[in-house]
Amino acid sequence: MKKRAAVLLSIATVATALAGPVTTTAAAAGPDGGRAAAALRWTKCATPRYPTLQCASLAVPLDHDRPDGRKVTLALTRVPHTGATSQGPLLVNPGGPGGSGRALAGYIASALPKAVAAQYDVIGFDPRGVGRSEPALDCGNGHFTPVRPDSVPLTPADEQANLDRVRGFAQACASKHADVLPHVGTVSAARDIELLRQALGAPKVSYFGYSYGTYLGAVYAKLHPDRVHRLVLDSVVDPAGVWYEDNLAQDLAFDARHKAFMAWVARHDETYRLGDDPAQVESRWYAMRDALRQTPAGGKVGPSELEDTYMPGGYYNGYWPHLADAFAAYEVKGDPKPLVAAYERFGAVEPSAGNSYTAYSAVQCRDSAWPKDWNVWRTDMWRTHAKAPFMTWNNAWYNAPCAFWPTEALQAPDVTNVALPPALLLQATEDAATPYEGALSMKARLAGSALVVEQGGGNHGISLSGNKCLDEKVAAYLTSGTAADATCAAMAEPKPTTATRVVPSTAGGAALHGLLGFRR
């Protein structure tokens, strides 16, 4: 599920290095009752890191119920299999919604053991409306320009300013993309995957999805269970809460993860000097927030931007040392510069954010019903804020365009599936973006599925990021298709560092977390 995080390895950086793809259009109905497609034409688009990467594109119907009507284009990447035998395509998705998957193909192909990667054509794709796919949705228009109103509406003026902001975003999308928005959603994306399977000429496809990508994979599997070869779901969305309830659950889980960060800071008081009591450290963080309401740091970092800056720590604890450095510099030394630098690194939006956020909103607002009465939001958010003040209101405003969205909401499909081959689910117990209960909910709906739990882990996106136990389970499953419930220990916590030391993008899980579809 998509939330915000500035990336250490930018998808945009990788994507701009990829050559323009060649387009192939889905063709007329095939003999199996599906829609056959001409073979994709792949061109070289290698990067220094991924020298065998190829690119293509596929035209699919904007409206799947009108297959001969207007087309939209999906941008694709591929790392071809190198083994003597192949298990077919492995489609990969980084989540979001709104995350670009083109750069993920190279990462997955290189992160898997060579003997496993050799068996698959690893396929990345930008879902409709995202990244290099056309048309790319974007009605951001400076939506995240600092300094935004305080996310916590302590006054009627704060609330009205935030309402005007999100309503204006929804209206801009209605004006700019009215013809496309009714056809952007998880079910439409899943139907695109089926056309991609046909274009690949594969009787079955395997799928590896993170975060929101787990839900997309489950929906595709519901529509076409007989077309699934392997299904890996990492950091699992609760399909029972799509999407309003899932976001409320996130609020509680992110607050708990923020408290875990505060406790980590307290354990390293000799470095940060913010106190050795987690409650004291947390109190100082909120004192910093209050001070920034009065005087934004560097004219850029107010309370809302502070939340944006520290929320990535809820996804990946590798960011904790840098966030703690900035916190200590501001609170202990009275120096706001490291906080501004942390905002620019972790919280400030990238140029692509208008696209990813617009696609996120288009999918979430279309997929299922959201309250249209703002009084319902207000009541639910204040109730949740009382328990979980860290990001409840920030998250509310991130999703609030759905209260004013111009398209009619659909009913989320029931992903319960008894016809699917065994699936592999992976989940950290302390994951904030997709709380642990969601994995249990998904497992109960996918007959025969296995759940591998990272006990005590709190990162989001846990496989192929350094945990040997988890990675071995993934490799074994992709090789044989068999899996069993298991538990893996979490990786060690990060060590404190200095504000001047920069962890490279390839350290630990940072490379993966730079590719996943979080807020940017």
Side-chain angles (χ1 to χ4, degrees):
M1 207 169 358
K2 179 182 178 80
K3 291 291 154 244
R4 61 292 252 181
V7 298
L8 297 179
L9 177 63
S10 169
I11 292 176
T13 300
V14 177
T16 55
L18 303 181
V22 178
T23 300
T24 296
T25 304
D32 64 353
R35 292 192 56 81
L40 292 166
R41 290 178 288 160
W42 296 96
T43 61
K44 293 181 180 180
C45 56
T47 69
R49 180 170 292 178
Y50 307 126
T52 63
L53 197 67
Q54 300 173 341
C55 290
S57 64
L58 175 68
V60 297
L62 171 65
D63 182 350
H64 282 285
D65 293 331
R66 299 180 61 193
D68 296 321
R70 177 183 170 186
K71 301 297 189 292
V72 296
T73 302
L74 309 181
L76 315 172
T77 56
R78 177 176 74 169
V79 177
H81 76 279
T82 58
T85 60
S86 171
Q87 295 204 48
L90 173 62
L91 277 56
V92 298
N93 181 273
S100 168
R102 296 176 76 230
L104 189 61
Y107 179 87
I108 295 293
S110 62
L112 287 170
K114 290 182 179 180
V116 178
Q119 301 173 42
Y120 288 94
D121 294 320
V122 183
I123 309 290
F125 63 99
D126 285 354
R128 57 173 56 204
V130 175
R132 292 289 187 91
S133 293
E134 297 177 352
L137 304 177
D138 190 349
C139 39
N141 297 322
H143 189 68
F144 293 100
T145 300
V147 173
R148 306 197 307 273
D150 190 342
S151 65
V152 180
L154 299 177
T155 69
D158 287 338
E159 182 175 34
Q160 191 59 53
N162 278 302
L163 281 170
D164 290 345
R165 178 173 159 270
V166 300
R167 186 185 287 109
F169 176 80
Q171 291 172 345
C173 290
S175 298
K176 190 171 183 179
H177 298 300
D179 55 338
V180 177
L181 293 181
H183 307 291
V184 178
T186 301
V187 171
S188 291
R191 296 178 74 177
D192 289 341
I193 291 175
E194 174 59 9
L195 290 182
L196 175 55
R197 177 196 67 77
Q198 294 174 30
L200 291 167
K204 293 187 178 184
V205 293
S206 298
Y207 179 93
F208 193 145
Y210 291 93
S211 192
Y212 162 78
T214 66
Y215 181 64
L216 175 58
V219 171
Y220 174 74
K222 178 67 174 184
L223 296 177
H224 302 283
D226 58 328
R227 298 300 187 181
V228 176
H229 179 57
R230 306 275 191 266
L231 182 65
V232 182
L233 307 180
D234 183 327
S235 303
V236 185
V237 166
D238 185 351
V242 173
W243 288 114
Y244 185 73
E245 295 299 329
D246 277 350
N247 276 279
L248 289 173
Q250 274 190 334
D251 298 338
L252 300 172
F254 264 101
D255 196 81
R257 195 64 184 149
H258 186 63
K259 284 180 167 60
F261 170 48
M262 298 291 99
W264 180 86
V265 173
R267 288 196 294 276
H268 297 287
D269 184 48
E270 71 283 357
T271 299
Y272 300 113
R273 303 299 180 188
L274 287 160
D276 59 7
D277 176 11
Q280 176 188 359
V281 175
E282 186 176 22
S283 178
R284 294 190 72 168
W285 192 90
Y286 282 103
M288 176 173 64
R289 189 190 190 284
D290 290 342
L292 293 171
R293 180 180 172 91
Q294 300 302 317
T295 306
K300 292 182 177 180
V301 186
S304 295
E305 291 74 26
L306 181 72
E307 292 162 345
D308 293 349
T309 303
Y310 281 80
M311 200 168 296
Y315 290 96
Y316 176 53
N317 62 11
Y319 301 146
W320 286 2
H322 309 287
L323 296 173
D325 288 336
F327 180 15
Y330 185 92
E331 270 294 296
V332 178
K333 300 177 182 178
D335 182 3
K337 295 185 183 65
L339 186 62
V340 175
Y343 164 70
E344 292 173 344
R345 180 178 179 186
F346 296 110
V349 298
E350 296 177 352
S352 62
N355 170 244
S356 60
Y357 179 60
T358 301
Y360 168 88
S361 301
V363 172
Q364 293 240 325
C365 300
R366 177 65 166 157
D367 270 3
S368 62
W370 294 72
K372 295 299 184 181
D373 182 350
W374 184 249
N375 291 320
V376 174
W377 290 71
R378 182 189 294 115
T379 299
D380 288 343
M381 298 314 146
W382 279 121
R383 182 188 300 116
T384 307
H385 175 86
K387 303 173 187 176
F390 170 57
M391 66 157 275
T392 294
W393 273 107
N394 190 302
N395 199 29
W397 298 119
Y398 196 81
N399 291 283
C402 292
F404 311 101
W405 204 247
T407 60
E408 181 181 356
L410 302 174
Q411 183 173 351
D414 179 4
V415 300
T416 300
N417 205 323
V418 298
L420 187 69
L424 178 66
L425 282 57
L426 303 110
Q427 183 70 39
T429 56
E430 312 308 314
D431 184 355
T434 52
Y436 177 70
E437 292 75 16
L440 300 179
S441 176
M442 184 71 82
K443 184 179 188 300
R445 287 168 170 78
L446 303 184
S449 60
L451 174 61
V452 178
V453 175
E454 187 182 46
Q455 188 64 44
N459 290 339
H460 181 68
I462 56 175
S463 65
L464 304 186
S465 59
N467 188 317
K468 182 180 178 182
C469 176
L470 295 171
D471 295 351
E472 288 176 345
K473 300 292 191 293
V474 171
Y477 171 77
L478 288 175
T479 299
S480 68
T482 59
D485 293 348
T487 299
C488 293
M491 296 175 66
E493 288 186 335
K495 302 288 187 183
T497 185
T498 63
T500 56
R501 179 186 173 197
V502 177
V503 175
S505 62
T506 54
L512 173 65
H513 288 84
L515 292 170
L516 299 187
F518 304 151
R519 284 197 198 179
R520 277 178 291 286

